[in-house]
């Protein structure tokens, strides 16, 4: 069962567990890397200290061995020196707490007594720890040996005389071991404190740095789970001050907000399009129902023999023909809109816009001989357009004037080349439109008041102009008439097109007027700033 609330205990516990897991993983990974670094530093430092101290011990042993070799002492002389030292108490087999140790080794590799000084257990253990004293005497470097649990660095030299005895010289490495233990304890103590401090700082910092991610998760979860009232796509991830500005997290927050904005826009666009489609179907059904009901009514009257004479019958047939023509025009316009909505591949070719406008104006004069029609047309004005569709655009514009303005209202039709476009302007001196009506002039089935027509003419114009990559603008004000400017790409080279913006002739519009643009950014004065509605 989906939970609709935003703060139930189960969901909040789950989110906290996920966030805590991420923080814990991040903290543990940093602590693990720091521990490995401290361990590596400890190993390198202890090995360096040991190497340095052992090198000092080795240098002392080698210096002592070299000095004894230069004197050429025999075993008897060493025994005499040992006896003298034993009598004076200044020389012994062991001194300085067993730091330095020496012993004489016979041919059999065993410790040999000398000078009447008794052998100590340490001397016997040292002789036993060196299996081949003769080979050690020939070796240039001291070696490690362990006697009675104490480590030594040992070297050897051959004494003078014919007995072939050897003298072992050893220095204890106890001080090295003790120093290394102290260094290890100190480094471990500092390392533990450092790891604890850094782990705490990392956990607090990760918690602080991950707050924007927590906000993103909360926002995305709230949108995904929704609520009983529907999706709330207006939620955004708020910034958390300057401390979180910049970096990947801020870029992710910005990208997520941009994605949510796109989703909200797409959702509202879809809802708006669906609403327009519903209204379009309802309006189309209503518009088609009216002529069908009229025709069916007249046919029922004919079946019941309600027409007494031929005059009434002829009048009924005329009404049915008129309604059938109205329905046929409505269906034709709906088919045209459907075709244009599918973005058909038009076949643009150079078409003389001035010639098309001249023909449409002549048709208007033939239909309404009493209407003043002024023409401002050049010799030619070639535009890239589909010729049948261009005829439909111009015809719809003049039909709009014929239907929605008084029969004696003046209309001016002009064509000019401006800024690489062929521009057609149809300006009438009719009653004009209110700003709120002008904003819906391109809506399908929109009619002001009780106006005649299907309400699809201007919608067809906009769809056709958009299909050609052009623009259409409407400038109007109550009592100031209505001007429609259609700009289509010119078929002439760009250098041949005259300068000047599309709306240069309309710059004199009063502040209370309304300008509605299709095919570009809408510009309105006197009405809300929102794009003209469009059904796709």
């Amino acid at each position: 069962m989906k939970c609709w609330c935003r703060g139930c205990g189960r969901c909040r516990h789950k989110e906290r567990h996920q966030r805590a897991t991420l923080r814990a993983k991040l903290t543990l990974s940093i602590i693990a890397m720091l521990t490995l670094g401290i361990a590596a530093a400890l190993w390198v430092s202890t090995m360096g200290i040991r190497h340095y101290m052992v090198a000092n011990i080795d240098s002392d042993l080698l210096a002592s061995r070299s000095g004894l070799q230069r004197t050429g002492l025999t075993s008897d002389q060493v025994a005499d020196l040992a006896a003298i030292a034993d009598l004076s108490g200044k020389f012994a087999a062991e001194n300085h707490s067993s730091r330095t140790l020496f012993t004489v080794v016979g041919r059999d590799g065993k410790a040999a007594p000398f000078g009447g000084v008794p052998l100590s257990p340490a001397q016997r253990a040292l002789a036993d720890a060196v299996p081949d004293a003769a080979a050690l005497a020939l070796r240039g470097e001291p070696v490690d040996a362990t006697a009675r649990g104490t480590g030594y660095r040992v070297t050897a030299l051959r004494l003078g005389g014919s007995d072939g005895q050897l003298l072992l010289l050893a220095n204890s490495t106890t001080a090295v071991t003790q120093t290394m233990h102290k260094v290890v304890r100190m480094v471990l103590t500092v390392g533990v404190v450092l790891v604890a401090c850094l782990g705490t700082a990392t956990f607090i910092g990760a918690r602080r740095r991950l707050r924007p991610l927590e906000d993103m998760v909360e926002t995305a979860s709230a949108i995904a789970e929704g609520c009983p009232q529907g999706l709330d796509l207006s939620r955004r991830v708020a910034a958390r001050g300057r401390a979180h500005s910049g970096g990947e997290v801020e870029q992710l927050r910005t990208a997520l907000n941009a994605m949510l904005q796109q989703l909200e826009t797409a959702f509202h666009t879809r809802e708006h399009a669906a609403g327009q489609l519903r209204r379009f179907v309802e309006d189309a059904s209503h518009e088609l129902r009216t002529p069908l009901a009229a025709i069916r009514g007249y046919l029922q009257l004919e079946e019941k023999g309600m027409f007494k004479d031929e005059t009434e019958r002829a009048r009924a047939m005329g009404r049915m023909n008129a309604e059938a023509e109205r329905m046929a025009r409505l269906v034709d316009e709906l088919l045209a809109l459907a075709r244009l909505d599918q973005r058909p591949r038009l076949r643009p070719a150079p078409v003389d816009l001035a010639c098309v406008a001249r023909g449409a104006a002549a048709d208007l004069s033939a239909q309404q001989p009493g209407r003043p029609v002024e023409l401002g047309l050049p010799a030619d004005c070639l535009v890239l357009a589909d010729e049948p569709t261009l005829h439909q655009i111009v015809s719809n514009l003049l039909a709009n004037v014929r239907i929605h303005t008084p029969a004696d209202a003046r209309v001016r039709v002009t064509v000019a080349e401006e800024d690489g476009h062929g521009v057609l302007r149809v300006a009438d001196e009719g009653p004009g439109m209110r700003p709120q009506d002008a904003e819906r002039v391109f809506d399908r089935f929109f009619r002001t008041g009780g106006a005649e027509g299907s309400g699809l003419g201007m919608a067809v114009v906009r769809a056709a102009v958009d299909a050609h990559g052009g623009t259409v603008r409407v400038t109007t004000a109550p009592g100031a008439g209505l001007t429609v400017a259609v700009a289509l790409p010119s078929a002439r080279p760009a250098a041949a097109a005259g300068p000047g913006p599309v709306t240069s002739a309309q710059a004199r519009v009063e502040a209370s007027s309304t300008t509605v643009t299709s095919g570009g950014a809408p510009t309105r004065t006197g009405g809300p700033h929102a794009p003209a509605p469009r059904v796709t």
Side-chain angles (χ1 to χ4, degrees):
M1 180 177 179
K2 184 178 287 187
C3 178
W4 295 106
C5 64
R6 295 182 180 177
C8 74
R10 182 179 61 184
C11 296
R12 292 176 61 184
H13 175 74
K14 183 178 179 181
E15 292 177 0
R16 283 198 302 268
H17 175 71
Q18 292 174 348
R19 294 194 293 267
T21 302
L22 180 59
R23 287 196 296 266
K25 288 181 179 179
L26 182 61
T27 303
L28 290 177
S29 62
I30 294 178
I31 290 177
M33 289 187 291
L34 179 62
T35 303
L36 291 177
I38 292 176
L42 176 62
W43 184 83
V44 171
S45 62
T46 52
M47 290 300 102
I49 292 173
R50 185 182 187 282
H51 178 76
Y52 174 75
M53 298 185 70
V54 169
N56 288 336
I57 293 174
D58 289 349
S59 63
D60 292 342
L61 287 174
L62 293 176
S64 300
R65 187 179 73 171
S66 298
L68 291 174
Q69 285 177 341
R70 284 195 301 270
T71 59
L73 293 176
T74 64
S75 58
D76 294 336
Q77 292 174 334
V78 171
D80 294 340
L81 291 175
I84 295 173
D86 184 61
L87 292 175
S88 62
K90 296 182 179 179
F91 191 89
E94 297 183 63
N95 59 11
H96 300 295
S97 302
S98 300
R99 182 177 182 274
T100 302
L101 182 66
F102 67 92
T103 186
V104 176
V105 179
R107 292 178 179 273
D108 57 355
K110 302 295 183 180
F114 56 94
V117 179
L119 293 174
S120 67
Q123 287 177 312
R124 297 180 186 278
L126 178 62
D128 294 338
V130 178
D132 191 355
L136 181 60
L138 299 176
R139 186 184 177 92
E141 296 293 332
V143 297
D144 289 319
T146 302
R148 301 184 65 186
T150 302
Y152 292 90
R153 294 287 290 178
V154 184
T155 187
L157 64 112
R158 188 173 294 278
L159 297 175
S162 59
D163 53 3
Q165 290 184 329
L166 298 164
L167 178 64
L168 294 180
L169 300 175
N171 269 358
S172 173
T173 58
T174 302
V176 176
T177 304
Q178 292 175 349
T179 302
M180 291 180 61
H181 287 169
K182 291 179 181 179
V183 171
V184 169
R185 286 195 299 269
M186 182 183 66
V187 173
L188 287 179
T189 302
V190 174
V192 169
V193 174
L194 182 61
V195 167
C197 295
L198 184 59
T200 303
T202 301
F203 184 81
I204 296 175
R207 181 177 182 181
R208 181 169 172 266
R209 292 292 180 181
L210 289 177
R211 283 177 184 173
L213 295 181
E214 296 174 6
D215 295 341
M216 296 177 199
V217 172
E218 182 180 357
T219 300
S221 299
I223 293 176
E225 293 177 359
C227 60
Q229 290 76 24
L231 291 177
D232 181 15
L233 296 176
S234 62
R235 293 175 64 99
R236 296 293 183 271
V237 182
R240 283 189 172 268
R242 299 175 60 183
H244 298 279
S245 60
E248 291 79 2
V249 175
E250 178 63 20
Q251 294 176 3
L252 179 60
R253 185 191 70 84
T254 304
L256 180 61
N257 283 341
M259 183 187 69
L260 292 176
Q261 180 64 38
Q262 293 292 336
L263 289 175
E264 183 181 12
T265 302
F267 182 78
H268 290 324
T269 301
R270 188 188 68 175
E271 291 293 321
H272 182 67
Q276 283 192 324
L277 180 60
R278 287 192 298 268
R279 290 194 298 270
F280 173 77
V281 173
E282 293 173 359
D283 294 339
S285 301
H286 175 73
E287 293 295 333
L288 291 173
R289 187 185 302 115
T290 302
L292 287 175
I295 294 174
R296 185 173 59 181
Y298 283 117
L299 289 176
Q300 290 176 351
L301 292 176
E302 175 66 21
E303 289 178 356
K304 295 178 181 179
M306 300 298 293
F307 301 121
K308 304 300 182 183
D309 52 25
E310 291 299 327
T311 303
E312 292 181 357
R313 184 175 289 103
R315 186 177 63 84
M317 292 299 296
R319 291 297 303 164
M320 284 191 290
N321 287 332
E323 293 296 335
E325 291 177 0
R326 176 187 172 189
M327 187 167 56
R329 288 194 302 270
L330 182 61
V331 172
D332 290 341
E333 290 177 342
L334 288 175
L335 290 175
L337 281 173
R339 182 177 63 88
L340 293 172
D341 283 343
Q342 293 175 358
R343 301 292 182 183
R345 295 184 60 183
L346 300 178
R347 298 178 180 178
V351 182
D352 189 356
L353 179 59
C355 180
V356 175
R358 187 177 293 108
D363 294 340
L364 177 62
S365 298
Q367 293 172 340
Q368 293 180 333
R371 180 185 293 274
V373 179
E374 296 181 5
L375 299 179
L377 306 176
D380 62 352
C381 180
L382 297 180
V383 295
L384 288 175
D386 181 71
E387 185 171 359
T389 308
L390 180 60
H391 278 281
Q392 187 175 23
I393 292 173
V394 180
S395 299
N396 282 11
L397 292 178
L398 293 180
N400 187 66
V401 173
R402 176 175 55 82
I403 295 173
H404 298 288
T405 62
D408 57 350
R410 186 181 302 275
V411 59
R412 179 173 175 80
V413 180
T414 62
V415 173
E417 292 191 15
E418 300 177 1
D419 197 19
H421 290 78
V423 181
L424 167 68
R425 289 189 179 87
V426 178
D428 63 63
E429 297 181 359
M433 302 177 68
R434 296 178 301 173
Q436 58 269 30
D437 293 333
E439 292 170 7
R440 300 184 56 193
V441 70
F442 294 114
D443 286 3
R444 302 180 182 189
F445 297 109
F446 174 73
R447 289 173 295 188
T448 58
E452 299 179 358
S454 63
L456 294 174
M458 295 300 290
V460 172
V461 169
R462 183 180 71 169
V465 172
D466 288 347
H468 284 84
T471 60
V472 55
R473 297 187 179 186
V474 172
T475 304
T476 184
L482 181 140
T483 300
V484 182
V486 174
L488 298 173
S490 176
R492 301 181 188 276
V502 173
T503 57
S504 60
Q506 307 298 332
R508 56 180 176 81
V509 180
E510 300 294 335
S512 62
S513 67
T514 301
T515 301
V516 181
T517 305
S518 175
T523 304
R524 297 188 179 92
T525 304
H529 190 76
R534 179 175 181 180
V535 177
T536 57

